[in-house]
Amino acid sequence: MNVTEAFGIIDEHYDRQLVVTGTGTATQEWHRRHGPWDDDAFHVHTMGLTSSFALGLAVAQPDRQVWAFEGDGGLVMNFGTLTTYSEYRPPNLRYFLVSNRRHRTIEGPPIPAADHLDYEQLGRGLGLEGQVVSFDDTEVLSKELPSVLADDRFMLIVLEVGPERPAENPKPKAPYEAAEIKYRFARYIERETGARVFGKLGY
Ligand SMILES: Cc1ncc(C[n+]2csc(CCOP(=O)(O)OP(=O)(O)O)c2C)c(N)n1
Ligand SMILES: [Mg+2]
């Protein structure tokens, strides 16, 4: 299964979930499909922070399902996030891990422990038995994703996509700076949910 196939399958189930994408392949794959950089997804530039941002969003918006997509290089920069997930396990959060075992975007080196990481086993060690699921096959992902999305528990979904660069991978460039992405997404949340993100002055 390559990353483009995996995102294609997930995208079939997109129905206005709140989306957070981490820098790297995850962002490229999402925004290539949903561009030109819509307001309804937040892009986190800083590796490692997507999981934390998504957790806060899921806790603040318990009636909305939140989808987070992050690269494995990002996850290992903030590995403690897994213990926080185990503690809070928001049932409306689906955290998709793009596991290519390397820093693909920068043609970089393998991530630490690239040859050893077993996320399902790690999930058991975190008390998340059955809540960390791993897919490396498109047919199995297509078949099982609906029940993973419909589960009433927090789910961490590992996409084992292999190290190859996808054949079709144009890099969409954000037409805004990070600050504008923040304002656009937060105002989208305000419109969509009625929640107040900003203060009385509107920023
Ligand atoms: C804290 C931080 N350090 C460095 C970067 C620069 N950078 C952007 S993408 C990337 C590699 C990301 O690797 P991974 O999360 O595994 O995603 P992949 O490219 O493999 O999809 C790096 C180092 C960054 N955005 N944030
Ligand atoms: Mg990676």
Side-chain angles (χ1 to χ4, degrees), residues 36-96:
W37 227 266
D38 291 345
D39 294 0
D40 58 0
F42 185 73
H43 167 53
V44 180
H45 280 284
T46 311
M47 288 170 71
L49 296 188
T50 303
S51 55
S52 307
F53 187 98
L55 174 66
L57 188 60
V59 169
Q61 291 294 331
D63 297 331
R64 299 289 298 264
Q65 193 170 76
V66 174
W67 285 2
F69 299 93
E70 187 162 40
D72 46 4
L75 173 65
V76 299
M77 274 197 183
N78 183 16
F79 223 48
T81 202
L82 295 176
T83 57
T84 315
Y85 274 167
S86 173
E87 182 67 28
Y88 289 95
R89 45 186 87 193
N92 56 327
L93 177 58
R94 299 293 175 271
Y95 176 81
F96 295 88

Side-chain angles (χ1 to χ4, degrees), residues 2-5 7 24-33 98 100 103-107 161-173:
N2 71 39
V3 70
T4 304
E5 293 167 337
F7 271 74
T25 312
T27 286
Q28 292 163 23
E29 286 294 323
W30 186 264
H31 290 287
R32 194 156 56 75
R33 290 181 168 75
V98 179
N100 51 20
H103 303 88
R104 175 73 279 167
T105 306
I106 57 162
E107 305 293 347
V161 294
E164 298 81 23
R165 178 178 285 287
E168 188 201 353
N169 193 12
K171 291 185 186 172
K173 291 279 178 221

Side-chain angles (χ1 to χ4, degrees), residues 69-197:
F69 299 93
E70 187 162 40
D72 46 4
L75 173 65
V76 299
M77 274 197 183
N78 183 16
F79 223 48
T81 202
L82 295 176
T83 57
T84 315
Y85 274 167
S86 173
E87 182 67 28
Y88 289 95
R89 45 186 87 193
N92 56 327
L93 177 58
R94 299 293 175 271
Y95 176 81
F96 295 88
L97 180 68
V98 179
S99 174
N100 51 20
R101 312 246 162 193
R102 64 192 56 233
H103 303 88
R104 175 73 279 167
T105 306
I106 57 162
E107 305 293 347
I111 63 166
D115 296 336
H116 305 294
L117 279 168
D118 178 335
Y119 295 103
E120 290 188 358
Q121 196 172 325
L122 199 57
R124 286 192 283 279
L126 288 160
L128 290 169
E129 172 97 46
Q131 289 174 260
V132 179
V133 289
S134 184
F135 296 100
D136 63 4
D137 181 88
T138 48
E139 271 183 42
V140 180
L141 179 64
S142 293
K143 188 162 162 275
E144 296 189 8
L145 187 61
S147 62
V148 172
L149 294 175
D151 205 291
D152 58 3
R153 300 169 299 168
F154 162 73
M155 296 296 281
L156 193 161
I157 303 148
V158 183
L159 306 169
E160 291 290 359
V161 294
E164 298 81 23
R165 178 178 285 287
E168 188 201 353
N169 193 12
K171 291 185 186 172
K173 291 279 178 221
Y176 322 115
E177 285 186 316
E180 189 166 353
I181 293 175
K182 176 186 80 173
Y183 282 111
R184 293 174 73 103
F185 182 70
R187 293 202 167 107
Y188 168 78
I189 295 286
E190 289 186 329
R191 282 197 308 275
E192 273 282 300
T193 70
R196 178 181 270 191
V197 178

